[in-house]
Amino acid sequence: MRYLARSADGTPLLGDDEGFVPLSAADPTLETIEAALTQAPDGLPAPGDARAQRIPPADISFGLPLSPVKKLWGIGLNYADHAADLDEIRPEEPASFVKPPSTATGPGGPIRLPDEEVTNRVTAEAELGVVMGRTFSHVSEAEFDDVVAGFVPIIDMTSEDILEKNPRFLTRAKSFDTFLVTGPWIAVPDSPAAFLDDVSVQTVVNDEIVAENTLEGMLFKPPELVAFHSQVMTFEPGDVISTGTPGAGVIKPGDAVKAVVEPVGTLESDVK
């Protein structure tokens, strides 16, 4: 497993289970995260060499791994249990929406809640994000390994009181600044499709697990989501599909939120 990340000062990083080094030190031909994502489906280099000392993750202040952020697709009601909790009809096709790049913020956030006069019920939702590594369209599920670079933990937010007024308000309910926390790194496995067999997702608010599930609980698995949406649009390296949440927790200023996505990693953010 390799990890792609960006430090808070903007330095692209490449890591493994022993630590991180600057990406350019591991491979001088890879100057950006986007360049590394393009190479990821064919295999990234090992980060350890004499030109750089490995830095443990605990000693790094991580920033938003994808900057500038490109296309961000979200998937609603993609876990059967979550749809049942909301008394929603299970969709026959993926219920997707697009979030603007201005929603994205890095590890720690903070998530900044709008004034209560605008919205007074915001939820946080842990999700698995799928990161693209190729420019492609019209692919099949079998081509998942050929076009996907890796996976990233995500905390998505929804203004539920706005959404409850009218389902057509979904884009507005999802699009406030800082309503998508991403990081701390992109996990790049040798085989993205095989990696999905052991993934679990937990939404944690103030150290309380409010929802958890494995990908077996999904209505539409990541390979299907990538193939389905590639019929709509052309994907590019760094584009993300956030694959839906097992459940959400209401958040208030002062709260702390985690997306525990195993074995990808844990993403944390404060709420302001």
Side-chain angles (χ1 to χ4, degrees):
M1 179 89 79
R2 304 283 188 256
Y3 301 95
L4 291 169
R6 194 184 306 273
S7 65
D9 67 5
T11 302
L13 303 171
L14 176 66
D16 59 15
D17 292 336
E18 297 181 16
F20 286 83
V21 300
L23 178 61
S24 59
D27 186 338
T29 68
L30 299 178
E31 297 181 353
T32 66
I33 296 290
E34 290 72 25
L37 290 173
T38 301
Q39 183 171 316
D42 295 327
L44 289 172
D49 66 32
R51 290 172 295 175
Q53 182 179 359
R54 295 178 190 233
I55 306 170
D59 294 340
I60 301 173
S61 177
F62 290 100
L64 185 65
L66 296 166
S67 182
V69 175
K70 295 185 177 180
K71 293 188 283 293
L72 299 168
W73 277 95
I75 309 297
L77 304 176
N78 198 29
Y79 286 82
D81 292 348
H82 185 44
D85 289 342
L86 298 175
D87 293 325
E88 295 281 357
I89 298 173
R90 292 172 56 159
E92 295 181 0
E93 295 181 339
S96 55
F97 54 90
V98 175
K99 295 177 72 96
S102 54
T103 60
T105 188
I111 301 163
R112 298 189 181 277
L113 300 182
D115 292 339
E116 288 191 357
E117 292 78 9
V118 177
T119 175
N120 59 19
R121 181 179 171 84
V122 175
T123 58
E125 304 129 23
E127 307 195 8
L128 170 72
V130 179
V131 184
M132 310 309 158
R134 294 276 195 255
T135 298
F136 66 93
S137 65
H138 295 87
V139 299
S140 67
E141 293 182 40
E143 295 173 276
F144 189 76
D145 275 355
D146 297 329
V147 299
V148 167
F151 306 97
V152 64
I154 284 176
I155 304 171
D156 189 22
M157 263 61 64
T158 306
S159 170
E160 286 198 344
D161 55 323
I162 289 178
L163 181 59
E164 286 171 356
K165 293 177 184 178
N166 191 318
R168 294 188 179 186
F169 295 167
L170 176 62
T171 298
R172 176 156 58 98
K174 288 281 192 179
S175 295
F176 290 93
D177 289 349
T178 74
F179 267 31
L180 191 83
V181 189
T182 306
W185 49 67
I186 301 164
V188 181
D190 292 334
S191 171
F195 181 83
L196 295 172
D197 292 341
D198 299 316
V199 175
S200 64
V201 181
Q202 292 181 343
T203 301
V204 181
V205 179
N206 297 329
D207 293 324
E208 177 186 354
I209 300 173
V210 297
E212 61 181 325
N213 212 325
T214 68
L215 300 199
E216 286 302 309
M218 282 185 170
L219 300 176
F220 308 101
K221 306 296 193 298
E224 184 175 358
L225 293 174
V226 171
F228 179 87
H229 289 89
S230 77
Q231 312 307 311
V232 178
M233 56 181 282
T234 297
F235 281 102
E236 300 173 314
D239 288 346
V240 176
I241 294 179
S242 194
T243 58
T245 185
V250 176
I251 54 175
K252 300 291 184 183
D255 286 344
V257 183
K258 294 180 184 178
V260 182
V261 183
E262 294 295 342
V264 180
T266 297
L267 172 65
E268 304 180 31
S269 182
D270 296 328
V271 183
K272 301 291 187 182

